[in-house]
Amino acid sequence: MDKEVRVRFAPSPTGHLHIGGARTALFNLLFARHNNGKFILRIEDTDTTRSTDEYIEAIIQGMKWLKLDWDEGPFRQTARFDIYKSYAEKLLGEGKAYRCYCSQEELEQRRQEAAAQGRPPKYDGRCRNSEHQPDKPFTVRFKTPQEGQTIVNDLIKGVVEFENNQLDDMIIVRSDGTPTYNFVVVVDDIDMKITHIIRGDDHLNNTPKQILIYKAFDWDPPAFGHLPMILGADKARLSKRHGATSVMAYEEMGYLPDALVNYLVRLGWAYGDQEVFSRDELIKFFDLENIGKSAAVFNPEKLLWLNGQYIINSTAAEIADAVLPFLVKAGIVRNDEHIDKEWLSKAVKTLQERSKTLIELATSLKYYINEHVEIDQKAKEKFLKPDSIKVLAELKAELENMSDFSAVELEKVFVSLAEKLSIKLGSIAQPVRVAITGSTASPGIFEVIEIVGKDKTLKRLSKVIEGG
RNA sequence: GUCCCUAUCGUCUAGCCCGGCCUAGGACAUCGCCCUUUCAAGGCGGUAACGCGGGUUCGAAUCCCGCUGGGGACGCCA
């Protein structure tokens, strides 16, 4: 029997959970669930000058919103410094690492000189044989073999070969005693029994360095799978200038977490021609084999379409719950105001197929909830001319006598009035729509009126008829 | 500069591993038509791609080489 699959998502808390990170986390989760394995969250906060607790919280919040549930963690590397220290000492003791006394300024200067002369900006290994100088600050460098090749057998990219002499002696412990990424990632992945490392392909170049560390400890490296990057519309690496990149910004813009997940999974992964997947389907179908090798451009329009699909395919009650915070935020309902869920669901139902985001939906909901509506000037000019007003007056008289204010009954009244006046139904419906909703576009006018109710409907008609 | 990855419609992709079924399929966007009380949703249809050059082969989007384009890495960041 194979050993249990264990994967991890290892963000560094130097920013919010962004689109790229979320997709990496998602692929890890899906891989774990598909293989009945475990998904571990590990916070890579060894850079204590840039990591913050706020960002840890933000990342966790983003993962929870997307329902990327992890099984173990979050583990913080800053809580594990003793472990790394003992391993670094082991390497030092075995002569596989050495103390380097070069200062940051010296190193920077040498890099610049190298760049100016067109040489590779590689550390020259000059401290490899230095005497121990107890009174001087030092970093610990890994003694990278300078001959031979290191092969990465990547699950996604295939076999990738690196010349060891391209790699330099990387720093594994900073002069302040804290360990660095390429070192701790190896120690942790072994310690946490990670079987598959699935991460962005910006890490592919780090992989041979890490494999060399595994070898130095005589450990078997896990399997690697490097995911292609996500780019912006200009094919440059996705960043703030391409618009919203933080996952939580999408929540604020009225996106559903399942829609974002569905969009993200299709960036680099495909299952035939299928576009919309349930979570269960994703777990069932997900496979590293179906992941593409080339970078993908983030396309907000398709995400918007998918969000619309998810809104349509959810139940009205689900969407009503989801839209409520947006109604409060937009000031359409007060925080403490009671709003009838069943009624709200009815209203939501008429708007589902016309809303691509919850923000849009909440905005449209205004004319159901508010007492009065603001009428669009252009709509008014076009549909609330004297002739139409006269029709509205006749309609109002008819409506006042109705007891069953249902869409079915309303339609009958509208139709017979149209016949009586020998005009098209649209000649009544459109002015009414403007009077009731304030605009020329809305769900079917009969259902709108039913939901708005007799009281508000008559008030709004009166206001228009009286020229208010 | 060096190293690494990559290359099918504007975008996401199927097909490529196991050459012929590809006159290259689907989706978003876009355009047109239908439905219709408006707007949507939905249905139908259109425009639109194998980066270039060499091979191999009876035959290449599919295999090989080169070029070009794009991305990434080269940090006491991760």
Side-chain angles (χ1 to χ4, degrees), chain A residues 239-277:
Chain A
S239 70
K240 309 96 231 159
R241 66 194 171 78
H242 293 111
T245 53
S246 151
V247 161
M248 296 319 286
Y250 286 88
E251 181 188 28
E252 283 169 30
M253 291 187 288
Y255 285 81
L256 264 18
D258 287 355
L260 219 208
V261 160
N262 198 144
Y263 178 72
L264 254 19
V265 83
R266 283 286 289 99
L267 236 38
W269 178 83
Y271 186 76
D273 287 338
Q274 190 169 343
E275 294 287 348
V276 182
F277 299 86

Side-chain angles (χ1 to χ4, degrees), chain A residues 40 46 53 91 111 113 143 197 223 235 260 283 311 340:
Chain A
I40 292 135
T46 58
D53 287 357
L91 249 23
R111 264 195 293 271
E113 281 167 15
K143 204 179 278 179
I197 295 178
K235 303 259 183 160
L260 219 208
I283 290 167
I311 289 177
D340 184 73

